[in-house]
């Protein structure tokens, strides 16, 4: 028996299978959570007597909090222990899920699910990465990374279906209660986890941490405030942009002074890393835009229940899962940049075909082919971008680089969710007001009332909801407002789909730059770090 065979056998015997399964269950909950929320929008709006924009804002806020705090969450894990950070992250997520089972208003969802749950995710992801690295070795470590990555992919694929089924036949509250149960099972096995000691510097870059939160938070929060018709939007956006610029300056200055930094700016000296991060962000912007526009379209325009919406979105998630699994096998000697280019091209084609279909579709079946195409493109991107981004990073710095990669992806997702939703509501308000003013049926007083109402709260409504709101109006006014709503919503959704389309086009252009760089073989550590 060779030395390599003996080492492989030792790795296999050291494989802690119960721990590997529990880590996979934790990742499954982390990913499936947002899918459940997306397909349950109409049920949550109805049960809590809230608005689509409010729920959409909460979804974007949860992704934003996760992105804004993930770099800080990694440092917190270094200081208090990765095992403790892992437990706190799971508890934060459990609090968010429990709040969803009991919530009576949107405020509870924003505080407990979006903010506390988002902070939980920011602690959980980097801690999980470190614990896998410290609890498993060699072949076993690679297998656990693959198992946890597969759990994430399966959750993304089946999340809309599982969430839709439970919401339709039971309740969306039951779906989140099941998350709490899974987390309880994961925590019951916490004794299986061996903590991983941190031997690096324990100094904290407080200024860098604050600038990162204010920077990413300001950009997305400004969009959400704009969506809700709030004030000081430009001031919030400008604050976010200035904070990000200040962060870049601060990190470079601290690096020159040989002082601790939130993240090492030298990571960005690698063109592969810079391009990989930007491509990851663009992919997530596109995914976020699709995952907010499509559920709203299906539930508010076609008036589908959660299961029907989940089934209609399934071609996107299932094709993404299938291609991500298959691409690694048949990629062979094809360059990663070539596969990434094909992925963005398919994504652009799928969305490009989808946009003209939206006003004409009266069934989710019309979306089948474009969603299969777009999902296949996303699957190709998922199969390549993590390894491409981390390939040039040395083994001792790959964990930090993976954290930056995760933060970039989470920020892209929150930006896509927020921006697509805000654009959709802004376009809806403009189109609805314009069509109302041009109407020959509505009396002048009703035209002014519509304009004032939309200025205060633009909202996506199904025709059924609108008829209930207009119950006291004359029949001709009801019919005219419903007609305007029927024509205005598809146009607003088409404009929202331009967000993922533009992200896909930018990614396609970026992939040409990737093609001009030489390929880099990932280190064994980089190949594992695919949890972001």
């Amino acid at each position: 028996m060779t030395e390599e065979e003996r080492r492989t056998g030792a790795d296999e015997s050291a494989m802690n299978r119960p721990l590997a399964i529990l880590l996979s269950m934790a990742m499954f909950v982390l990913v499936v959570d947002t899918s459940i929320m997306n397909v349950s929008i109409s049920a949550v709006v109805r049960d809590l007597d809230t608005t689509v924009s409010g729920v959409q804002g909460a979804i974007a806020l949860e992704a934003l909090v996760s992105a804004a705090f993930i770099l800080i969450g990694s440092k917190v894990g270094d200081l208090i222990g990765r095992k403790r950070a892992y437990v706190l992250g799971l508890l934060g997520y459990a609090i968010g899920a429990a709040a969803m089972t009991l919530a009576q208003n949107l405020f509870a969802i924003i505080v407990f699910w979006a903010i506390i749950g988002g902070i939980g995710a920011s602690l959980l992801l980097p801690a999980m990465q470190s614990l896998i690295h410290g609890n498993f070795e060699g072949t076993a470590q690679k297998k656990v990374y693959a198992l946890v990555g597969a759990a994430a992919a399966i959750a993304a694929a089946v999340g809309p279906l599982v969430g839709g089924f439970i919401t339709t036949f039971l309740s969306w509250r039951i779906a989140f209660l099941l998350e709490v149960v899974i987390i309880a099972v994961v925590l019951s096995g916490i004794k299986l986890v061996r903590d991983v000691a941190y031997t690096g510097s324990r100094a904290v870059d407080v200024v860098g941490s604050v600038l990162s939160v204010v920077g990413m938070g300001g950009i997305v929060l400004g969009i959400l405030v704009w969506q809700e018709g709030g004030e000081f939007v430009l001031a919030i956006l400008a604050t976010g942009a200035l904070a990000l610029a200040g962060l870049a300056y601060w990190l470079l200055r601290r690096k020159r002074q040989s002082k601790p930094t939130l993240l090492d700016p030298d990571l960005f000296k690698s063109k592969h890393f810079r391009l990989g991060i930007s491509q990851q962000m663009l992919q997530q912007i596109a995914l976020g835009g699709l995952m907010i526009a499509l559920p709203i379209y299906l539930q508010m325009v076609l008036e589908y229940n959660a299961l029907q919406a989940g089934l209609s979105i399934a071609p996107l998630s299932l094709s993404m899962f299938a291609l991500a699994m298959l691409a690694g096998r048949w990629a062979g000697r094809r360059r990663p940049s070539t596969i990434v280019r094909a992925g963005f091209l398919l994504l652009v084609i799928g969305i490009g075909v989808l946009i003209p279909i939206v006003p004409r579709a009266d069934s989710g079946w019309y979306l089948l082919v474009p969603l299969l195409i777009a999902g296949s493109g996303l699957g190709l991107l998922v199969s390549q971008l993590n390894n491409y981004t981390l390939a040039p990073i040395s083994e001792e710095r790959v964990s930090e680089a993976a954290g930056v990669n995760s933060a970039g992806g989470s920020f892209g997702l929150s930006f896509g969710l927020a921006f697509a939703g805000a654009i959709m509501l802004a376009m809806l308000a403009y189109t609805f007001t314009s069509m109302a003013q041009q109407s020959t049926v509505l009396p002048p007083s009703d035209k002014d009332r519509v304009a004032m109402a939309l200025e205060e709260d633009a909202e996506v409504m199904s025709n059924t909801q609108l008829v209930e709101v207009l119950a006291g109006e004359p029949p001709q006014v009801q019919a005219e407002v419903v007609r305007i709503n029927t024509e205005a919503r598809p146009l607003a959704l088409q404009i929202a789909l331009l967000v993922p389309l533009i992200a896909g086009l930018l990614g396609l252009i970026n992939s040409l730059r990737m093609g001009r760089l030489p390929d880099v073989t990932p280190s064994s550590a980089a190949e594992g770090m695919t949890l972001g």
Side-chain angles (χ1 to χ4, degrees):
M1 181 181 290
T2 66
E3 180 63 27
E4 184 175 349
E5 287 173 334
R6 280 195 297 272
R7 189 164 55 249
T8 300
D11 290 340
E12 291 289 346
S13 64
M15 176 81 163
N16 188 336
R17 295 185 188 280
L19 176 57
I21 293 170
L22 290 173
L23 289 167
S24 300
M25 290 170 65
M27 178 55 76
F28 183 90
V29 169
L30 197 68
V31 176
V32 82
D33 184 74
T34 303
S35 295
I36 294 173
M37 194 66 159
N38 281 329
V39 297
S40 304
I41 288 176
S42 62
V44 174
V45 168
R46 181 181 62 251
D47 291 353
L48 299 186
D49 191 25
T50 185
T51 63
V52 173
S53 64
V55 176
Q56 179 260 325
I59 294 171
L61 183 62
E62 194 269 349
L64 167 64
V65 171
S66 174
F69 285 93
I70 198 165
L71 295 176
I72 300 172
S74 180
K75 189 62 180 178
V76 169
D78 294 341
L79 296 176
I80 69 173
R82 277 66 179 269
K83 182 176 180 178
R84 187 173 297 169
Y86 174 71
V87 171
L88 289 175
L90 286 170
L91 289 175
Y93 233 71
I95 288 170
M100 291 299 295
T101 67
L102 302 171
Q104 299 301 312
N105 53 54
L106 184 63
F107 180 77
I109 292 178
I110 290 173
V111 172
F112 295 103
W113 183 77
I115 297 178
I116 295 179
I119 291 174
S122 72
L123 287 169
L124 186 57
L125 263 176
M128 188 184 298
Q129 215 143 31
S130 297
L131 290 173
I132 293 174
H133 206 63
N135 281 262
F136 302 91
E137 295 180 356
T139 305
Q141 185 184 96
K142 288 185 178 181
K143 286 192 172 185
V144 176
Y145 272 122
L147 183 63
V148 174
I154 292 169
V158 305
L161 295 174
V162 173
F165 181 86
I166 295 174
T167 298
T168 300
F169 293 106
L170 297 171
S171 167
W172 54 275
R173 296 181 187 275
I174 298 297
F176 287 101
L177 180 61
L178 290 175
E179 287 188 22
V180 178
V181 172
I182 294 173
I183 292 172
V185 171
V186 173
L187 285 171
S188 71
I190 196 63
K191 289 183 179 179
L192 296 171
V193 180
R194 184 178 70 250
D195 204 356
V196 180
Y198 175 67
T199 57
S201 171
R202 304 186 75 82
V204 178
D205 180 6
V206 176
V207 174
S209 300
V210 171
L211 287 172
S212 70
V213 172
V214 173
M216 287 188 282
I219 297 293
V220 177
L221 188 61
I223 295 170
L224 293 176
V225 171
W226 171 49
Q227 170 185 295
E228 295 298 322
E231 299 179 351
F232 308 112
V233 172
L234 287 178
I236 297 171
L237 291 172
T239 300
L242 288 172
L244 288 177
L247 175 63
Y249 170 77
W250 176 259
L251 293 175
L252 290 170
R253 179 187 173 192
R254 296 275 289 186
K255 181 71 176 180
R256 285 195 300 268
Q257 296 173 344
S258 299
K259 294 181 179 179
T261 57
L262 177 67
L263 58 97
D264 188 351
D266 285 350
L267 289 171
F268 293 91
K269 288 183 177 179
S270 166
K271 290 183 178 179
H272 290 81
F273 186 75
R274 292 201 305 270
L275 278 172
I277 289 286
S278 63
Q279 294 291 69
Q280 185 86 268
M281 195 178 300
L282 289 168
Q283 174 213 332
Q284 292 295 331
I285 289 173
L287 180 60
L290 286 172
M291 292 309 291
I292 199 64
L294 290 174
I296 290 176
Y297 170 75
L298 291 163
Q299 294 173 75
M300 297 296 132
V301 177
L302 300 186
E303 301 196 31
Y304 276 6
N305 62 32
L307 180 58
Q308 291 170 318
L311 287 169
S312 298
I313 296 171
L316 179 75
S317 55
L318 292 175
S319 58
M320 182 170 68
F321 169 70
L323 262 291
M325 294 294 103
L326 293 173
R329 298 179 182 177
W330 56 254
R333 296 184 179 180
R334 293 178 179 85
R335 299 187 64 198
S337 60
T338 302
I339 299 175
V340 169
R341 188 181 310 131
F344 275 113
L345 180 60
L346 287 173
L347 177 62
V348 167
I349 291 172
I351 299 172
V353 173
L354 186 64
I355 289 174
I357 289 176
V358 165
R360 299 169 176 83
D362 57 8
S363 164
W365 285 106
Y366 286 85
L367 311 183
L368 176 62
V369 173
L371 290 187
L372 284 174
I373 296 171
S376 297
L378 288 169
L380 292 178
L381 297 175
V382 168
S383 74
Q384 301 297 315
L385 284 179
N386 276 308
N387 277 347
Y388 180 91
T389 305
L390 302 179
I393 308 302
S394 61
E395 187 159 344
E396 62 270 16
R397 299 170 67 195
V398 73
S399 181
E400 180 185 13
V404 177
N405 190 36
S406 295
S410 296
F411 174 71
L413 182 67
S414 65
F415 182 87
L417 288 165
F419 196 52
I423 287 289
M424 177 174 59
L425 291 172
M427 191 63 196
L428 179 68
Y430 172 80
T431 307
F432 208 116
T433 302
S434 176
M435 294 175 71
Q437 293 290 354
Q438 294 171 12
S439 172
T440 57
V441 176
L442 295 177
S445 59
D446 283 336
K447 294 179 182 181
D448 294 337
R449 190 147 50 89
V450 167
M452 288 181 64
L454 283 172
E455 283 179 8
E456 292 178 4
D457 185 22
E459 187 53 63
V460 180
M461 279 192 181
S462 67
N463 283 341
T464 300
Q465 290 172 311
L466 196 58
V467 168
E468 293 174 0
V469 172
L470 297 169
E473 300 292 336
Q476 67 271 21
V477 172
Q478 291 186 32
E480 180 67 359
V481 174
V482 168
R483 180 192 69 80
I484 293 173
N485 191 50
T486 302
E487 295 179 12
R489 288 174 313 180
L491 180 59
L493 287 161
Q494 283 179 302
I495 299 299
L497 287 172
L498 291 179
V499 173
L501 180 66
I502 292 171
L505 287 169
L506 291 174
L508 189 58
I509 294 170
N510 249 358
S511 68
L512 300 176
R513 295 172 60 201
M514 291 172 65
R516 292 196 288 268
L517 296 177
D519 293 336
V520 178
T521 303
S523 67
S524 59
E527 286 180 336
M529 297 285 187
T530 58
L531 305 187

